[in-house]
Amino acid sequence: MSEKETIVVIGAGVIGLSTAVRLQQSLPSRSKVSVLLVARDWPSTTSLNYASPWAGAHYRPVPGSTPQALREEKQAQATYAHFKTEATISGSGVARVEGIEHLEAPPPEYLNSKAIDTHYAHLDGFRQLSAGELPAGVKWGVRYDSFCVNSPVYCAYLLRKFILHGGETREYTLANPGEAFYLAPNVKTVVNCSGVGIGDPKSFIIRGQTCLVRNPCPVTLTRQNADGSWSFSIPRPLEGGTIIGGTKAPHDWDPNPSLEVREKLLENAKKWFPFTPESGGEFDIVRDIVGRRPAREGGMRIETENLLGGKRIVHGYGAAGRGFEISWGVAGDIVALVRGEGGAREKASL
């Protein structure tokens, strides 16, 4: 009898968790392949370097024409379809919410009808807002059915699903992805969803600061300001409050929240976001949030690295600020690499 093979997935962020679940689902019943999820941080822990539980996660298209933008769009659309299912499951942390965008100085891609069709046409309830529906100063606006995600709840939900379907976990801090081949018997494939890639010189962090408030908001609204900066409100399902954001600061390692940034975020929120009347223009602050988004020059690395002895590492990391929006689609691309180069076979379609 042949020894059972183990596939090791590195990283319990939303990309790693989604990949572990989707890989598990692709295996035939009574498979001789098991999946081991190895990570330093888990949904029950908090770390500035573990970005997923901090995320103010919502679904919003990002128009573009580069190969990276078009690849992410396919991944995003697959995730949007997946969120439709997850939103029907009690306790998943995913909910359907009205999405609105208001742009004061829309970039060229937002004025390109072909680009808008490519990136927005799949959205339920999508329509462009007329001039009479736009607030003062706003030049471009849309509405559509979006999804908001209570990020720590969703990550815990994915982990629970993985474990209940036979997945194994191990808390371990890796110095190199190659270590993962020694964490279980007969490991031929390691899937590297470590966020920053572990030693990849092209990887970097993007510091983000948001503010979590108890005040409820009925929509997720994204506003681009005339100076090119962005503000957003993202309600967290299951009465998790509302995330008000946000900032993007590449290579900024400051772990401390800025009071000045918080005041600016809340000042903008008072002007632009439709918090319920009982808020009275004041915010009940839960906490300031600082997190480090794992980014990579040129976009995500999704490729196979073949090693000696028939072993390989399938890489899937560097999602920056779009991890939740593209997570399920990215997981599908990673699983396709795993099974397309001699890995676990996909379950037969009936």
Side-chain angles (χ1 to χ4, degrees):
M1 182 179 294
S2 60
E3 185 179 16
K4 189 170 185 176
E5 179 184 346
T6 299
I7 298 174
V8 177
V9 177
I10 301 172
V14 70
I15 299 293
L17 290 166
S18 299
T19 298
V21 170
R22 195 156 186 179
L23 180 59
Q24 192 179 57
Q25 291 175 349
S26 76
L27 298 173
S29 58
R30 299 186 180 181
S31 171
K32 292 185 178 180
V33 179
S34 62
V35 182
L36 172 64
L37 182 62
V38 176
R40 177 194 63 205
D41 300 304
W42 300 88
S44 60
T45 62
T46 57
S47 166
L48 291 178
N49 299 311
Y50 178 41
S52 289
W54 302 110
H58 65 166
Y59 185 93
R60 187 181 76 84
V62 179
S65 58
T66 65
Q68 177 189 343
L70 295 175
R71 181 179 70 177
E72 287 188 1
E73 180 54 32
K74 290 182 180 179
Q75 294 163 340
Q77 290 192 21
T79 306
Y80 186 81
H82 177 66
F83 281 167
K84 289 184 182 182
T85 299
E86 295 291 20
T88 67
I89 300 173
S90 176
S92 70
V94 180
R96 187 183 290 260
V97 178
E98 181 180 14
I100 299 172
E101 296 182 37
H102 291 156
L103 277 62
E104 294 186 3
E109 54 267 29
Y110 285 87
L111 303 177
N112 182 316
S113 58
K114 182 178 179 181
I116 294 304
D117 184 64
T118 298
H119 294 270
Y120 284 87
H122 68 286
L123 298 168
D124 295 336
F126 168 72
R127 66 180 180 86
Q128 290 204 241
L129 300 178
S130 66
E133 296 176 282
L134 299 177
V138 172
K139 303 293 191 298
W140 184 95
V142 295
R143 69 83 53 207
Y144 48 85
D145 291 356
S146 181
F147 293 94
C148 288
V149 182
N150 188 321
S151 47
V153 171
Y154 183 62
C155 288
Y157 161 78
L158 289 175
L159 178 59
R160 184 169 65 250
K161 179 184 288 189
F162 172 72
I163 293 172
L164 290 177
H165 286 83
E168 298 179 9
T169 64
R170 179 172 176 181
E171 182 176 334
Y172 190 86
T173 301
L174 292 150
N176 185 287
E179 274 189 271
F181 289 103
Y182 302 94
L183 299 183
N186 197 25
V187 178
K188 299 176 182 178
T189 301
V190 169
V191 182
N192 180 15
C193 299
S194 58
V196 293
I198 310 179
D200 185 341
K202 292 186 177 182
S203 291
F204 62 98
I205 59 99
I206 301 176
R207 180 187 183 276
Q209 180 173 334
T210 61
C211 188
L212 175 63
V213 299
R214 292 185 176 87
N215 310 57
C217 187
V219 304
T220 177
L221 196 156
T222 302
R223 177 153 177 149
Q224 181 231 28
N225 312 313
D227 63 3
S229 61
W230 296 79
S231 301
F232 53 78
S233 64
I234 304 176
R236 279 188 164 180
L238 301 175
E239 300 185 4
T242 302
I243 294 286
I244 298 173
T247 67
K248 292 183 179 180
H251 307 286
D252 185 343
W253 290 91
D254 186 353
N256 304 300
S258 162
L259 180 58
E260 181 181 356
V261 169
R262 180 218 282 180
E263 290 176 346
K264 184 64 175 177
L265 293 176
L266 298 184
E267 177 186 338
N268 288 340
K270 288 179 183 180
K271 292 187 294 184
W272 297 328
F273 303 143
F275 284 91
T276 52
E278 63 267 23
S279 297
E282 300 299 325
F283 292 102
D284 186 359
I285 298 170
V286 178
R287 66 176 299 161
D288 296 302
I289 294 174
V290 173
R292 294 170 179 155
R293 307 174 182 98
R296 187 175 184 273
E297 296 173 15
M300 280 199 77
R301 184 184 184 187
I302 303 178
E303 63 181 0
T304 299
E305 178 184 357
N306 292 309
L307 307 176
L308 295 175
K311 296 182 178 182
R312 63 196 176 141
I313 301 175
V314 178
H315 297 285
Y317 61 85
R322 299 202 73 196
F324 281 84
E325 290 170 309
I326 63 176
S327 56
W328 199 251
V330 167
D333 289 346
I334 294 172
V335 170
L337 288 179
V338 170
R339 61 177 194 250
E341 297 182 20
R345 291 178 299 168
E346 184 181 18
K347 190 183 299 181
S349 299
L350 300 178

